[in-house]
C-alpha cells in the first residue's frame, strides 16, 4: 500500500484510474471501517482510503485535540485489507490556506438533529468530503449508515453538484451486544461500555412500537428520552423521521406507511454516542 500525503502526488498516482472506490475516514480504524473497505472492493478497483481528522467539522468545545490518532495500527489494518493507496494529508496539505469556500447543506437537512447540536458540523463534513472527492476522483464512495444524516447529506451533495461519484451506504457494524462500533467508544469506561448497548435497545423498542401501529411518535420519542435519562444518560434527541428527508412524519405519512428511521444521540458520561435504526 502506498501512503501519500500530497494532493499532487495522489493525483499523479491515480491518473487514469476510472473505477476507484473510496472510503474517507478520520482514522482509529475498527471493524466497522474495515467492513466499508470490503464493501468498497465489491464496487470498484483500486480501493483508496483516506485518514484525515478534519478540524473544520469539530466545534470549539469538541474533541478535536483528543480524537484518537493511531496511524501505525491503521496502516497495518488497511494493508491487510489490500487497500491500494492511503491518502493521509497533513493539515497543511489539505488546507494550505484558510478554507474560505465551504459547502453548506440546506438548513432543513444540515441544521436539524446532529446539525442542531453540532452547529457547522455538516458544513465541515461536506466541505472536506467535496475536497477529498476532488483529490481522489472516485467513481464510488462508501459511507456507513451509522452516520445516517451524514450519508444523506453527502448523497444529496453528490447529486446536486452532479459529481461523477456514486454514494453507497453500508450497514452499521455492531458489537455482539448491539453497540454500533465507533472510534468514540474507546472513551467509555468499563461500566459505561456495559451500559452503552441500551441506546440500541431503546431504538429497537421505539421501532417495534411504531411497527406495532403506534402512530403518536412524539409520545414514543419522549418515553425513550425519559428511559435513557432515567439510567443517567443525557439524551440530545430520539427522533422518528422520514427516511426520504429526515423530516418528522405527518399523520398522513404514518397512515400511508412512509419509510421511517429512528435516530438518536445521547451522552453517556462524557462520551456522546449516536445511533439509528431503519423502521
Ligand atoms: O465519518 C467520518 O469519519 C467523517 O465525518 C468523514 C466522512 C471522514 C469526513 O471527515
Amino acid at each position: 500500500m502506498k501512503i501519500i500525503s500530497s494532493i499532487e502526488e495522489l493525483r499523479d498516482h491515480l491518473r487514469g484510474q476510472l473505477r476507484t472506490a473510496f472510503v474517507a475516514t478520520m482514522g482509529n480504524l475498527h471493524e466497522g471501517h474495515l467492513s466499508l473497505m470490503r464493501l468498497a472492493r465489491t464496487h470498484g478497483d483500486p480501493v483508496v482510503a483516506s485518514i484525515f481528522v478534519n478540524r473544520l467539522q469539530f466545534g470549539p468545545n469538541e474533541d478535536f485535540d483528543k480524537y484518537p490518532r493511531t496511524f501505525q495500527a491503521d496502516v497495518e489494518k488497511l494493508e491487510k485489507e489490500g487497500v491500494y493507496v492511503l491518502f493521509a494529508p497533513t493539515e497543511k496539505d489539505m488546507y494550505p490556506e484558510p478554507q474560505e469556500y465551504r459547502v453548506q447543506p440546506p438548513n432543513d437537512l444540515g441544521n436539524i438533529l446532529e446539525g442542531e447540536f453540532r452547529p457547522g458540523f455538516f458544513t465541515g463534513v461536506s466541505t472536506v468530503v467535496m475536497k477529498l472527492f476532488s483529490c481522489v476522483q472516485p467513481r464510488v464512495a462508501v459511507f456507513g449508515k451509522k452516520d445516517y444524516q451524514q450519508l444523506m447529506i453527502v448523497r444529496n451533495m453528490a447529486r446536486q453538484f452532479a459529481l461523477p461519484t456514486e454514494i453507497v451506504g453500508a450497514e452499521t457494524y455492531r458489537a455482539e451486544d448491539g453497540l454500533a462500533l465507533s472510534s468514540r467508544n474507546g472513551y467509555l469506561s468499563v461500566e459505561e461500555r456495559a451500559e452503552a448497548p441500551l441506546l440500541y435497545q431503546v431504538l429497537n423498542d421505539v421501532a417495534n412500537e411504531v411497527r406495532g401501529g403506534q402512530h403518536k411518535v412524539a409520545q414514543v420519542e419522549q418515553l425513550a428520552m425519559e428511559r435513557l435519562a432515567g439510567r443517567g444518560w443525557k439524551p440530545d434527541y430520539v427522533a422518528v423521521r422520514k427516511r426520504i428527508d429526515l423530516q418528522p412524519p405527518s399523520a398522513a405519512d404514518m397512515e400511508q406507511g412512509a419509510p421511517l428511521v429512528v435516530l438518536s444521540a445521547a451522552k453517556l458520561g462524557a462520551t456522546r454516542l449516536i445511533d439509528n435504526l431503519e423502521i
Side-chain angles (χ1 to χ4, degrees):
M1 180 176 74
K2 186 133 175 92
I3 302 171
I4 299 179
S5 62
S6 109
I7 294 176
E8 216 186 333
E9 196 185 332
L10 181 77
R11 288 223 168 98
D12 282 347
H13 203 75
L14 293 179
R15 186 154 295 123
Q17 297 285 4
L18 298 177
R19 297 185 55 241
T20 300
F22 176 51
V23 183
T25 81
M26 298 204 300
N28 192 235
L29 303 181
H30 48 65
E31 272 304 311
H33 294 111
L34 302 184
S35 72
L36 302 185
M37 307 296 159
R38 286 169 207 146
L39 183 60
R41 171 155 309 291
T42 68
H43 284 273
D45 183 38
V47 174
V48 173
S50 67
I51 294 181
F52 180 65
V53 185
N54 173 39
R55 192 185 284 277
L56 293 189
Q57 71 192 67
F58 287 79
N61 298 318
E62 292 185 354
D63 54 346
F64 176 78
D65 287 327
K66 76 164 190 168
Y67 197 85
R69 289 159 173 89
T70 51
F71 191 71
Q72 212 36 57
D74 293 347
V75 166
E76 282 161 29
K77 289 176 186 164
L78 293 176
E79 262 170 351
K80 281 204 192 106
E81 293 302 327
V83 167
Y84 175 66
V85 167
L86 168 59
F87 179 44
T90 63
E91 280 203 89
K92 262 258 163 297
D93 290 310
M94 203 58 182
Y95 301 126
E97 55 184 296
Q99 183 68 33
E100 288 163 347
Y101 286 73
R102 307 264 172 128
V103 180
Q104 194 179 347
N107 286 339
D108 59 1
L109 188 53
N111 291 349
I112 61 169
L113 303 168
E114 281 305 278
E116 180 185 340
F117 290 92
R118 304 185 67 189
F121 171 65
F122 287 117
T123 298
V125 168
S126 304
T127 302
V128 80
V129 169
M130 180 67 105
K131 194 154 181 176
L132 288 166
F133 283 1
S134 157
C135 300
V136 176
Q137 309 214 344
R139 198 197 66 77
V140 175
V142 178
F143 289 82
K145 284 194 190 176
K146 155 93 175 10
D147 298 296
Y148 203 88
Q149 195 177 359
Q150 167 174 284
L151 168 62
M152 178 171 278
I153 285 175
V154 169
R155 186 172 271 145
N156 291 359
M157 176 183 85
R159 192 185 62 243
Q160 290 214 345
F161 284 108
L163 302 182
T165 304
E166 179 193 342
I167 307 301
V168 172
E171 292 306 321
T172 301
Y173 199 97
R174 297 183 182 280
E176 264 183 26
D177 58 11
L179 178 65
L181 294 203
S182 160
S183 298
R184 290 189 170 98
N185 293 351
Y187 298 149
L188 299 169
S189 68
V190 174
E191 295 73 31
E192 288 167 348
R193 174 62 190 81
E195 170 69 13
L198 179 69
L199 188 59
Y200 185 52
Q201 286 160 28
V202 167
L203 293 178
N204 268 294
D205 292 346
V206 168
N208 284 334
E209 280 204 48
V210 174
R211 281 186 200 118
Q214 171 59 276
H215 285 187
K216 292 186 178 145
V217 292
Q219 201 174 306
V220 181
E221 291 167 356
Q222 185 58 33
L223 287 173
M225 301 261 285
E226 283 168 14
R227 188 168 156 207
L228 286 166
R231 290 267 291 260
W233 295 61
K234 290 197 183 67
D236 283 342
Y237 59 86
V238 176
V240 175
R241 295 295 168 99
K242 286 184 287 175
R243 281 191 222 170
I244 183 101
D245 56 8
L246 297 188
Q247 295 302 310
S250 65
D253 292 322
M254 296 304 290
E255 281 305 315
Q256 289 157 13
L260 302 173
V261 54
V262 52
L263 307 103
S264 180
K267 258 187 154 181
L268 180 56
T271 308
R272 189 169 179 280
L273 300 177
I274 67 168
D275 201 355
N276 65 77
L277 186 63
E278 289 177 333
I279 297 180

